[in-house]
Amino acid sequence: MASSRRSARPAAKPPLKGSISLQTPLGAVLSESRIRLLEAIDRVGSLNRAAREVPLSYKAAWDALDTMNQHAPEPLVVRATGGAGGGGTRLTDYARQLVALYRAMESSQQDILDRLPGVPAEGDAPALRTLIRRMSMRTSARNQLACRVQGLTDRGGLVDVALDLGQGDVFVATITPASARSMALKVGDELYALVKAPWVQLRAKAPRRQAGRNRLAGTLMALQPGRTHTACTLQLGGGLTLEATVPNAEATTLRPGTPAWAEFATDSAVLVTFG
C-alpha cells in the first residue's frame, strides 16, 4: 500500500513587526495606544467616547492626555464645556502634526522591517547583528516637513502637489502621475516632505517667483560655518524650521535675526505617506 506523504516545506519566517515608544525619565510619553487615543478624539470629539474606542478607562485616558500635555510645548486638545452642542474635546493643529509625525516614523520603520529577511533563528548571533545594523537606517534629509495636501494639479505627465505647512506657508512638490496614484493622494491627506539641505538656497533678498521653484520667507536663526559650506537654519512663519547648506561665499550676505528667503526646486521634495 503506497503511503501518501506531503513534501516537507520550510516553515515561513514570521513577519517582523515593530512599535515606537518615545521615552522620558518619567516613562513613555508617546506610544501606539496614546496616538490611537488622539486619533479617536479627532474622530469623535469626546474624550469619554475616544477612551472606549481605544479601549482605555476614562481615568487612564485622562492621565495619558495629561502626561502628553505636560511634555508638549503646545496644548494637544481644546476643550469646550456646555453650550448648545454639549461641549466636547478636539485636537489642536499641533496635536495633528504630532500624530502625523508618529505615523510617518511608524511607516518608515515598518518599511525597513518589511525589507528584512525575517526573524533570525534562535542562537543565530551573526543574523541578529545584521538585523540590528539594518534597523539602524536613518534618512539623510535634514528637512522632514509635516504638511497637508492642499491641491493636486495634473500637468500632463507631471503632477504638482500643493502642500500646506500651516500659517500660510505653502510649497509645491512635483511628482509623476504614477506616484500620485500609488500613494492615492487626495486633498486633505497628511504626509511628510523630505528635502535635503544642500538642495535649499537662501537669499537675503526676495527672489522673483519662477516656475518649478519654491520660495518660502522666514527669519534666519542660525549660521554654522564649516570649512567650505555653512549650515543655515531658517524659521518659517508658522514656527517650523528649514535647514539649508550653502557655500561659504553665498553665506557672507546672510545675518542671523534678519529676513531671508529659501528657494528649492519643486521636484526636489520626496513625499512620504503613512497609514
Side-chain angles (χ1 to χ4, degrees), residues 109-202:
Q109 180 197 56
Q110 192 58 51
D111 183 60
I112 293 170
L113 294 178
D114 290 343
R115 297 170 188 267
L116 297 181
V119 180
E122 186 176 354
D124 190 349
L128 184 59
R129 285 195 295 270
T130 299
L131 178 64
I132 292 172
R133 281 198 300 270
R134 290 179 179 177
M135 289 176 65
S136 299
M137 293 171 61
R138 293 179 175 86
T139 175
S140 63
R142 292 285 291 121
N143 297 299
Q144 302 175 27
L145 306 171
C147 44
R148 189 186 300 267
V149 176
Q150 186 184 78
L152 297 158
T153 303
D154 190 335
R155 294 200 282 114
L158 291 174
V159 176
D160 284 340
V161 185
L163 299 165
D164 184 7
L165 291 170
Q167 302 299 315
D169 288 322
V170 178
F171 70 100
V172 172
T174 301
I175 61 176
T176 64
S179 293
R181 287 193 298 271
S182 67
M183 299 172 78
L185 292 181
K186 61 184 183 300
V187 173
D189 281 353
E190 294 178 337
L191 47 75
Y192 264 73
L194 309 183
V195 183
K196 297 184 68 172
W199 294 343
V200 180
Q201 295 177 307
L202 284 186

Side-chain angles (χ1 to χ4, degrees), residues 6-246:
R6 292 184 179 179
S7 58
R9 293 183 180 178
K13 292 183 178 181
L16 294 167
K17 296 292 181 183
S19 62
I20 297 174
S21 177
L22 302 185
Q23 302 277 339
T24 74
L26 299 178
V29 176
L30 280 186
S31 62
E32 173 64 22
S33 64
R34 291 183 176 181
I35 289 296
R36 284 193 286 114
L37 176 63
L38 293 177
E39 290 172 330
I41 290 172
D42 203 25
R43 283 195 306 274
V44 303
S46 161
L47 179 58
N48 192 25
R49 289 171 57 196
R52 291 199 298 268
E53 281 197 14
V54 173
L56 289 171
S57 69
Y58 182 80
K59 183 180 185 305
W62 176 268
D63 289 344
L65 196 57
D66 186 54
T67 298
M68 288 187 285
N69 267 322
Q70 287 181 23
H71 288 86
E74 297 181 27
L76 298 180
V77 297
V78 175
R79 298 185 183 90
T81 57
T89 305
R90 65 178 179 85
L91 294 193
T92 62
D93 289 340
Y94 177 82
R96 292 190 181 95
Q97 287 191 350
L98 191 65
V99 171
L101 173 61
Y102 184 94
R103 290 305 184 201
M105 291 190 298
E106 180 183 61
S107 178
S108 297
Q109 180 197 56
Q110 192 58 51
D111 183 60
I112 293 170
L113 294 178
D114 290 343
R115 297 170 188 267
L116 297 181
V119 180
E122 186 176 354
D124 190 349
L128 184 59
R129 285 195 295 270
T130 299
L131 178 64
I132 292 172
R133 281 198 300 270
R134 290 179 179 177
M135 289 176 65
S136 299
M137 293 171 61
R138 293 179 175 86
T139 175
S140 63
R142 292 285 291 121
N143 297 299
Q144 302 175 27
L145 306 171
C147 44
R148 189 186 300 267
V149 176
Q150 186 184 78
L152 297 158
T153 303
D154 190 335
R155 294 200 282 114
L158 291 174
V159 176
D160 284 340
V161 185
L163 299 165
D164 184 7
L165 291 170
Q167 302 299 315
D169 288 322
V170 178
F171 70 100
V172 172
T174 301
I175 61 176
T176 64
S179 293
R181 287 193 298 271
S182 67
M183 299 172 78
L185 292 181
K186 61 184 183 300
V187 173
D189 281 353
E190 294 178 337
L191 47 75
Y192 264 73
L194 309 183
V195 183
K196 297 184 68 172
W199 294 343
V200 180
Q201 295 177 307
L202 284 186
R203 311 292 187 200
K205 295 182 178 180
R208 64 183 180 86
R209 296 191 180 277
Q210 302 180 62
R213 302 283 296 175
N214 286 302
R215 187 182 76 168
L216 292 171
T219 301
L220 191 61
M221 302 303 294
L223 296 172
Q224 294 182 325
R227 189 168 61 85
T228 60
H229 287 73
T230 298
C232 311
T233 302
L234 182 73
Q235 186 174 58
L236 304 178
L240 295 177
T241 59
L242 194 66
E243 304 290 334
T245 303
V246 302

